[in-house]
Amino acid sequence: MTHRTPLVVRWGDLDAAGIVYYPRYLHFCHVGMEEYFRQVVGIDYPAFLAEHRLGLPSVRTEVEHRRPIRYGDPVELEIEVVRVGESSIEWRDRFWHPGEAQPSTEARIVTVCVDMGSFTKRAVPDWLRSKLLGS
Amino acid sequence: MTHRTPLVVRWGDLDAAGIVYYPRYLHFCHVGMEEYFRQVVGIDYPAFLAEHRLGLPSVRTEVEHRRPIRYGDPVELEIEVVRVGESSIEWRDRFWHPGEAQPSTEARIVTVCVDMGSFTKRAVPDWLRSKLLGS
Amino acid sequence: MTHRTPLVVRWGDLDAAGIVYYPRYLHFCHVGMEEYFRQVVGIDYPAFLAEHRLGLPSVRTEVEHRRPIRYGDPVELEIEVVRVGESSIEWRDRFWHPGEAQPSTEARIVTVCVDMGSFTKRAVPDWLRSKLLGS
Amino acid sequence: MTHRTPLVVRWGDLDAAGIVYYPRYLHFCHVGMEEYFRQVVGIDYPAFLAEHRLGLPSVRTEVEHRRPIRYGDPVELEIEVVRVGESSIEWRDRFWHPGEAQPSTEARIVTVCVDMGSFTKRAVPDWLRSKLLGS
């Protein structure tokens, strides 16, 4: 399932070239995941962590930048759950400038479901799986 | 006691005006405290946290900026323990450009010693007090 | 004048003690200033920078922390313009947990109006002064 | 060519799970590039930017995490220039825990040489190409 949310770039997200510092995109992807939980899954990510003792650390990220984001640019972040495996979740994050045919930046992120105490893999719970897929 | 250490400013520390983003100074002050532990107190701050279950969160910060730091500037950070109270430690951090009579930025930071589990105040241990004061 | 806005703390704002890393408060204060421009002054801060060639770097910050902010806490950020001098603007930022009599964190920040090219002081323009004061 | 440098993880690099927040790895990769310029190419990256008006923004990043880095871990960052194309430079960054057969995190980063004014592609200068390759 796909979810879109406006992205407000802050002064502190920029580097000295006046564009978003590239590590910040991965932070924005995490923010996108938090918003996806709140708006699509229907549970706050902080509550998810606290109540289920599960976490979703990233094990693989892939980012492609086509054009930079500057201060004040109206940008939308599109978050998509591409695949839910046994314990992994694959996300696609696309940063859109208005009127462009291709996303300005596109990211693929694989997170894995772990027990927050032991950091060992856990199966994605069924209730979460169906909500992530929006089915 | 006073300790000086070179400060290397990174691309990611800058804002779009090409100067150090001001919240980063407080991060540098924390880095300074970590270096003070390692080089003056004689224990790595991570080891201090892990072995003694104590932490030193900041409860009060005060920063004055006289001139900005730019990329590539040779800067020294001077860290001083001004006072050790019952459970508080007061630090002064001064960022020096070479040849200047006054620090470019000067910070006063009060940290308080807490139990890392309960976040309640603890007395600064005697062994730490004397090492912080360099006596 | 005073403006209140909800503050959503993100996973990336936390430190290993599970609370907001204290330098992030100053970042939040800058975010607050950006929101104050957009919602009270009525001009986007990026547009303000670009059109007027002025900037508002911080020259003095003072922060007092009474209680930490944790992940998922419902927090409001109250931004107040305390005083507009010839070229300086003094802000007060208060971070409120619901139901508390005192702000969890309170900051005083002095910014100075500068020409973004030369970094030299400029008088706060009259149109901005009156809008900052909400009069 | 390959270069190794110790990596000191700071308190501010950690997330609430007590491990390095994953966007920080890309920041560390940029720090690695800065160190590679200083120690292998023989020119400070800030001086390179200022004197040649060139920049090296990232256009593609790929990161794989095998095990997390915790506070106090002794880690080495190995930076390698894999390939220098017409205007692109491909880097490999590997984060090593001592005694491990595989890097804890491994990154591939493609940067492209641009004019810092216009953000348009430039050929990698010959003097830089040969120094990057350590030949």
Side-chain angles (χ1 to χ4, degrees):
Chain A
M1 186 166 172
T2 283
H3 179 72
R4 271 195 180 227
T5 191
L7 178 74
V8 183
V9 168
R10 302 299 185 177
W11 180 254
D13 297 320
L14 306 171
D15 67 17
I19 60 176
V20 169
Y21 183 46
Y22 71 104
R24 292 300 285 172
Y25 285 91
L26 289 183
H27 171 68
F28 292 150
C29 292
H30 200 287
V31 169
M33 185 172 80
E34 295 173 49
E35 286 306 302
Y36 193 94
F37 265 80
R38 194 171 64 81
Q39 295 181 37
V40 179
V41 175
I43 180 173
D44 264 13
Y45 190 66
F48 169 72
L49 293 186
E51 290 164 22
H52 298 272
R53 304 301 307 150
L54 298 173
L56 296 175
S58 297
V59 291
R60 188 176 163 73
T61 67
E62 219 182 296
V63 190
E64 214 181 315
H65 302 283
R66 287 194 196 87
R67 69 186 71 79
I69 299 178
R70 292 170 192 283
Y71 199 36
D73 283 1
V75 176
E76 279 203 329
L77 173 52
E78 184 184 5
I79 312 126
E80 185 183 353
V81 172
V82 175
R83 192 181 152 273
V84 183
E86 172 64 16
S87 62
S88 68
I89 305 166
E90 192 181 330
W91 308 79
R92 179 158 59 178
D93 297 272
R94 288 184 280 195
F95 297 76
W96 292 97
H97 276 96
E100 296 285 351
Q102 282 190 309
S104 303
T105 283
E106 180 158 1
R108 289 261 180 171
I109 294 183
V110 181
T111 58
V112 66
C113 190
V114 299
D115 178 287
M116 279 297 259
S118 61
F119 261 67
T120 48
K121 272 191 200 173
R122 285 285 174 273
V124 176
D126 285 340
W127 67 267
L128 178 58
R129 176 183 309 269
S130 62
K131 291 210 166 161
L132 283 169
L133 295 169
S135 52
Chain B
M1 187 168 172
T2 282
H3 178 73
R4 270 194 183 228
T5 191
L7 178 75
V8 184
V9 168
R10 302 301 184 176
W11 180 253
D13 297 319
L14 306 171
D15 67 17
I19 61 176
V20 169
Y21 183 46
Y22 72 104
R24 292 300 285 173
Y25 285 92
L26 290 184
H27 171 69
F28 291 151
C29 290
H30 200 286
V31 169
M33 185 172 80
E34 295 172 51
E35 285 306 301
Y36 192 94
F37 264 80
R38 194 171 65 82
Q39 296 180 38
V40 179
V41 175
I43 180 172
D44 264 14
Y45 190 66
F48 169 71
L49 293 187
E51 290 164 22
H52 298 271
R53 305 299 308 148
L54 298 173
L56 296 176
S58 297
V59 292
R60 190 178 160 72
T61 66
E62 219 182 296
V63 189
E64 215 180 315
H65 302 283
R66 287 195 195 84
R67 68 185 71 79
I69 298 178
R70 291 170 194 284
Y71 199 37
D73 284 1
V75 177
E76 279 203 328
L77 172 53
E78 184 184 5
I79 311 125
E80 185 184 354
V81 172
V82 176
R83 192 181 152 272
V84 183
E86 173 63 17
S87 62
S88 68
I89 306 166
E90 191 181 332
W91 307 79
R92 180 158 58 178
D93 298 272
R94 288 185 279 194
F95 297 77
W96 291 98
H97 276 97
E100 297 284 352
Q102 283 190 309
S104 303
T105 283
E106 181 159 1
R108 290 261 182 172
I109 293 182
V110 181
T111 58
V112 65
C113 190
V114 299
D115 178 285
M116 278 297 258
S118 62
F119 261 68
T120 49
K121 272 191 201 175
R122 286 285 175 271
V124 176
D126 285 341
W127 68 266
L128 178 58
R129 177 183 310 267
S130 62
K131 291 211 166 160
L132 283 169
L133 295 167
S135 54
Chain C
M1 188 166 169
T2 283
H3 178 72
R4 271 195 180 225
T5 191
L7 178 75
V8 183
V9 168
R10 302 300 185 176
W11 181 254
D13 298 319
L14 305 172
D15 66 17
I19 60 176
V20 169
Y21 184 46
Y22 72 105
R24 293 298 287 172
Y25 286 91
L26 289 183
H27 171 68
F28 291 150
C29 291
H30 200 287
V31 169
M33 186 173 79
E34 295 172 52
E35 285 306 301
Y36 192 94
F37 265 80
R38 193 170 67 81
Q39 296 181 35
V40 179
V41 175
I43 181 174
D44 263 14
Y45 190 67
F48 169 72
L49 293 186
E51 290 164 22
H52 298 272
R53 305 299 308 149
L54 298 173
L56 297 175
S58 297
V59 292
R60 190 177 160 71
T61 65
E62 220 182 295
V63 189
E64 215 181 315
H65 302 284
R66 285 194 197 87
R67 69 184 72 78
I69 298 179
R70 294 171 190 284
Y71 199 37
D73 283 2
V75 177
E76 279 203 329
L77 172 53
E78 183 183 5
I79 312 126
E80 184 183 355
V81 173
V82 176
R83 192 181 152 272
V84 183
E86 174 63 19
S87 63
S88 67
I89 305 166
E90 191 181 333
W91 308 78
R92 180 159 58 179
D93 297 272
R94 288 185 280 194
F95 298 76
W96 291 97
H97 276 96
E100 295 284 350
Q102 282 190 309
S104 303
T105 283
E106 180 157 2
R108 289 262 181 172
I109 293 183
V110 182
T111 59
V112 66
C113 190
V114 300
D115 178 285
M116 278 297 260
S118 62
F119 260 68
T120 49
K121 270 190 200 176
R122 287 286 174 271
V124 176
D126 284 342
W127 68 266
L128 178 58
R129 177 183 310 268
S130 63
K131 292 211 166 160
L132 282 169
L133 295 168
S135 54
Chain D
M1 188 169 169
T2 283
H3 178 72
R4 271 196 181 225
T5 191
L7 177 75
V8 183
V9 168
R10 302 300 184 177
W11 180 253
D13 298 320
L14 305 171
D15 66 17
I19 61 176
V20 169
Y21 183 46
Y22 71 104
R24 293 298 286 171
Y25 285 92
L26 290 184
H27 171 68
F28 292 150
C29 291
H30 200 287
V31 168
M33 185 174 79
E34 296 172 50
E35 285 306 301
Y36 192 93
F37 264 81
R38 194 170 67 81
Q39 297 182 36
V40 180
V41 175
I43 180 173
D44 264 13
Y45 190 66
F48 168 71
L49 293 187
E51 289 164 22
H52 298 272
R53 305 300 308 149
L54 298 173
L56 296 175
S58 297
V59 292
R60 190 177 160 73
T61 66
E62 220 183 294
V63 190
E64 215 181 315
H65 302 284
R66 285 194 198 87
R67 68 185 72 79
I69 299 178
R70 293 169 192 283
Y71 199 37
D73 283 2
V75 176
E76 279 203 329
L77 171 54
E78 183 182 6
I79 311 125
E80 184 182 355
V81 173
V82 175
R83 192 180 153 272
V84 183
E86 174 62 18
S87 62
S88 68
I89 305 166
E90 190 180 332
W91 308 79
R92 180 158 57 179
D93 298 273
R94 288 184 279 193
F95 298 76
W96 291 97
H97 276 97
E100 296 285 351
Q102 282 191 308
S104 303
T105 283
E106 180 157 1
R108 290 262 181 170
I109 293 183
V110 181
T111 59
V112 65
C113 189
V114 300
D115 178 284
M116 278 297 258
S118 62
F119 261 69
T120 48
K121 271 191 199 175
R122 287 285 174 272
V124 177
D126 285 341
W127 68 266
L128 178 58
R129 178 184 309 268
S130 62
K131 291 211 167 161
L132 283 169
L133 295 168
S135 55

